[in-house]
Amino acid sequence: VLELDTKENTPILSVYGGKVTTFRCLAEEAMEKLHPHLGFSAEPWTQHASLPGGEMGYEGFPAFKEEMQNSYPWLGEAQAARMTKAYGTNLTSLLGDATSLDELGQHFGAGLYEAELIYMRDNEWACTAEDALWRRSKLGLHMTEAERAAVKEWFEKT
């Protein structure tokens, strides 16, 4: 449900609900409601746009995943598959010149390394452990309370 409040000529948009599968339609509906108040075009454009890291497209993903597993064999198949799915073509930026898991920094559990937290913080607006573990990665589901606390501590220090 989208609600637009225009008290004092200041638009405030509230979004309740929504799903990952409908984010494009929701975003276009939001822009349609806001554009008269903010002065920009509300023409739909997202239908054929790739999400960040998705430039290879659905059909190209299997070959890209294989390329990442071959390029970074030290990740292991499961880790490479998870990270490729999560970051797509941006995975190469996240991994940089690393040649081993040790070079990814502290391991927090569930395959989450410090390099991934740095990437989320610097590129995906993750400001808290909750952002990284629940909003962005859902890795919190596979971590112990102590591991989640270590991620929280890391964010508090950085």
Side-chain angles (χ1 to χ4, degrees), residues 3 5 15 18 33-34 39 43 60 63 66 78 80 82-83 85 96 100 106 110 129-130 135 144 156:
E3 295 179 3
D5 183 2
V15 179
K33 289 182 178 285
L34 288 172
E43 296 299 319
E66 185 177 341
R82 179 190 71 78
M83 293 181 83
K85 186 175 179 183
S100 70
Q106 181 180 349
E130 290 77 18
R135 178 185 59 83
T144 67
E156 290 170 352

Side-chain angles (χ1 to χ4, degrees), residues 48-150:
H48 300 290
S50 296
L51 289 172
E55 296 84 3
M56 84 294 286
Y58 180 77
E59 295 80 15
F61 182 77
F64 180 74
K65 183 173 88 169
E66 185 177 341
E67 178 187 339
M68 292 298 98
Q69 289 172 335
N70 291 334
S71 296
Y72 304 100
W74 48 269
L75 279 175
E77 190 173 331
Q79 180 79 351
R82 179 190 71 78
M83 293 181 83
T84 301
K85 186 175 179 183
Y87 299 99
T89 58
N90 294 334
L91 180 57
T92 56
S93 295
L94 187 158
L95 296 174
D97 295 328
T99 59
S100 70
L101 289 173
D102 288 341
E103 292 180 26
L104 298 181
Q106 181 180 349
H107 180 245
F108 292 92
L112 178 65
Y113 287 83
E114 187 171 15
E116 195 169 352
L117 291 179
I118 292 167
Y119 184 86
M120 285 188 235
R121 181 196 65 202
D122 293 352
N123 298 282
E124 298 181 344
W125 306 287
C127 299
T128 66
E130 290 77 18
D131 285 341
L133 297 178
W134 302 107
R135 178 185 59 83
R136 177 56 182 88
S137 72
K138 305 293 187 269
L139 289 173
L141 292 168
H142 309 287
M143 299 174 86
T144 67
E145 185 62 38
E147 291 168 337
R148 291 190 297 268

